[in-house]
Amino acid sequence: MEYIRITSIEDPLFNQMHQLMQDVFPPEEVLEFDLWKEPLEDPGIRVFVAVHNRKVIGATEYRYYEDFNVAMTDFTIIGQAGLGIGPFLANKRLEDLIYLASINGNRLFGMFAEIYDPYRVKHYEFGGVKPMNPYVRREVLSHLGYKRLDFPYVHPSWNNDGEAVTGLDLCFLPMEARVNEVQTELIVKFLRRYYSVLSNKPESWHAMIENLRANDKATLLPI
């Protein structure tokens, strides 16, 4: 299995990856093909695919914010079960992030990730791939060490239509087990940066930000 970075929509592997995204994710979570041009060319956004026998069978997108010393996993896609795609992507991603932090003179503080709460949202098939099932994914993230940040999370739709996407939790993977809370200042700065590309955010998102700013810390809870 190969871990290959994609930096252009002209890369034939990107066409496979985009189709895989459409097969797995709900429509509001998939950015249109042409709108990927700038993100892929952005050196701060890292998109890698797992390739087996010249076929894209998995993918992950993430980014490292050197001024915050944290990372964000945008998505992880497992195209089929039984090939060890999940561990392969997770290990390769972590190796890359640890390296990126080290060349900036840091030890990675942690990594954010969004995860659906299957107890609060309608059932998504996620392409019928069992490892992508929200129940399974939450257990996997929990075993990896991710914890849920204790506040009601609102995710602006990537359609940039001002709609709020609920039923998700914002989680955080601390690199040190003793960390059990995160400064809300860091969370607010991160969310503002992460969603700066969306000009049309729902009012509930702005309200969430203001509620976070009214507190100093957010507790990390089990997923």
Side-chain angles (χ1 to χ4, degrees), residues 12-214:
L13 292 176
F14 176 67
N15 189 55
Q16 290 189 46
M17 189 197 89
H18 196 259
Q19 183 58 58
L20 186 60
M21 292 182 71
Q22 294 178 83
D23 293 341
V24 168
F25 291 132
E28 67 271 16
E29 292 294 299
V30 182
L31 199 63
E32 292 180 24
F33 188 97
D34 291 340
L35 296 180
W36 275 92
K37 184 179 186 302
E38 289 188 12
L40 288 176
E41 294 173 354
D42 185 336
I45 298 177
R46 306 178 73 79
V47 179
F48 284 82
V49 291
V51 179
H52 182 62
N53 293 332
R54 293 181 293 183
K55 180 182 178 182
V56 172
I57 56 173
T60 185
E61 176 186 310
Y62 54 97
R63 52 194 95 189
Y64 172 65
Y65 299 88
E66 56 186 71
D67 51 341
F68 302 154
N69 191 31
V70 296
M72 170 65 174
T73 299
D74 298 331
F75 62 77
T76 301
I77 301 175
I78 299 170
Q80 61 188 94
L83 293 177
I85 301 169
F88 175 78
L89 291 174
N91 290 333
K92 288 292 187 181
R93 180 176 59 221
L94 186 57
E95 287 174 11
D96 189 34
L97 286 169
I98 289 173
Y99 168 73
L100 291 173
S102 70
I103 62 177
N104 283 283
N106 292 319
R107 181 181 178 184
L108 183 66
F109 177 61
M111 182 166 15
F112 290 101
E114 296 173 336
I115 182 66
Y116 279 100
D117 182 350
Y119 298 99
R120 291 188 287 136
V121 298
K122 65 181 181 181
H123 177 66
Y124 285 128
E125 291 295 332
F126 287 94
V129 181
K130 292 301 182 185
M132 292 297 294
N133 182 288
Y135 292 99
V136 176
R137 292 174 70 201
R138 286 180 77 89
E139 285 301 312
V140 169
L141 286 181
S142 179
H143 285 296
L144 287 174
Y146 279 90
K147 296 181 180 180
R148 175 174 58 88
L149 285 160
D150 188 22
F151 67 93
Y153 184 58
V154 177
H155 161 37
S157 170
W158 284 110
N159 290 330
N160 200 25
D161 52 11
E163 292 297 316
V165 179
T166 58
L168 296 106
D169 292 315
L170 183 63
C171 299
F172 189 74
L173 170 63
M175 290 295 103
E176 295 187 14
R178 62 180 178 80
V179 174
N180 55 24
E181 56 190 12
V182 178
Q183 295 285 336
T184 53
E185 181 182 8
L186 173 62
I187 299 170
V188 168
K189 286 181 177 178
F190 159 71
L191 290 174
R192 283 178 167 165
R193 176 86 59 84
Y194 187 67
Y195 286 114
S196 61
V197 69
L198 296 177
S199 58
N200 193 13
K201 301 180 185 70
E203 284 302 318
S204 55
W205 185 87
H206 293 292
M208 175 191 72
I209 293 295
E210 290 306 310
N211 287 336
L212 281 169
R213 292 182 62 200

